[in-house]
Amino acid sequence: MPFDMIAWRRSGNRITRIEDDQREQSPVKIQQLEHALHTAQQKLMRACQHIRLIDEKLRDVEVRYKRAVKNSRNSFHYNQRLNLSILSGIKMMYFEYTTKMATEVNQLRLLYYGDSADLINESDSDSDENENSTF
């Protein structure tokens, strides 16, 4: 089937493919699509802001961790290592969520505008993962 005849339907958190004869081009559907795109973009931006905040917290905890190791404060060292582990896990969950939302935004942009933006950049995520590996 040619690419221009493929459409997608959003139901809840799922986006499914629909055929040309199932499409509804009413203004109400277009408004719903516009609203879904706007909401998904807001969620994606908010998740990216949270990742930046978590990165800042990770840097702060890493400084405290290194200071505790340097001063041989084992109990503090243990607590900071746990904090690093927890924050790293939270950051990974946000990465998964932003990847899912970026895919959804791309699909909605394809429906609404007829194009899609490359919101997922593999080189950026690889450099962030290597940057915070302290264990």
Side-chain angles (χ1 to χ4, degrees):
M1 173 177 269
F3 186 73
D4 60 337
M5 296 178 77
I6 298 172
W8 303 90
R9 175 184 293 148
R10 180 184 166 132
S11 60
N13 288 335
R14 303 185 83 191
I15 297 177
T16 57
R17 181 178 162 170
I18 59 174
E19 301 298 327
D20 199 28
D21 57 338
Q22 296 173 332
R23 288 191 205 186
E24 297 177 24
Q25 297 294 335
S26 68
V28 173
K29 294 293 181 183
I30 292 172
Q31 287 177 344
Q32 289 174 349
L33 183 62
E34 182 179 6
H35 177 71
L37 177 61
H38 180 69
T39 303
Q41 286 175 335
Q42 284 182 330
K43 288 180 180 181
L44 179 63
M45 287 176 22
R46 191 173 304 124
C48 289
Q49 289 173 347
H50 284 219
I51 288 175
R52 281 188 230 109
L53 289 173
I54 291 170
D55 278 338
E56 289 176 20
K57 287 186 181 213
L58 271 170
R59 278 188 234 112
D60 293 342
V61 171
E62 188 174 352
V63 167
R64 292 194 303 262
Y65 171 77
K66 288 180 180 179
R67 193 177 300 144
V69 169
K70 179 181 168 186
N71 295 331
S72 300
R73 297 185 64 193
N74 290 335
S75 62
F76 195 65
H77 162 260
Y78 176 74
N79 288 336
Q80 295 309 311
R81 186 165 174 112
L82 286 176
N83 286 340
L84 279 171
S85 175
I86 291 167
L87 286 172
S88 295
I90 292 170
K91 183 179 174 184
M92 297 282 60
M93 292 304 295
Y94 268 101
F95 274 142
E96 289 179 24
Y97 178 75
T98 54
T99 303
K100 178 183 136 196
M101 289 307 297
T103 303
E104 183 176 332
V105 167
N106 277 339
Q107 290 176 346
L108 290 170
R109 283 181 59 91
L110 183 63
L111 279 175
Y112 190 71
Y113 295 114
D115 69 345
S116 65
D118 185 21
L119 300 175
I120 304 170
N121 203 351
E122 294 296 324
S123 62
D124 290 344
S125 63
D126 290 342
S127 65
D128 288 342
E129 289 173 6
N130 294 334
E131 181 181 296
N132 293 319
S133 59
T134 59
F135 301 114

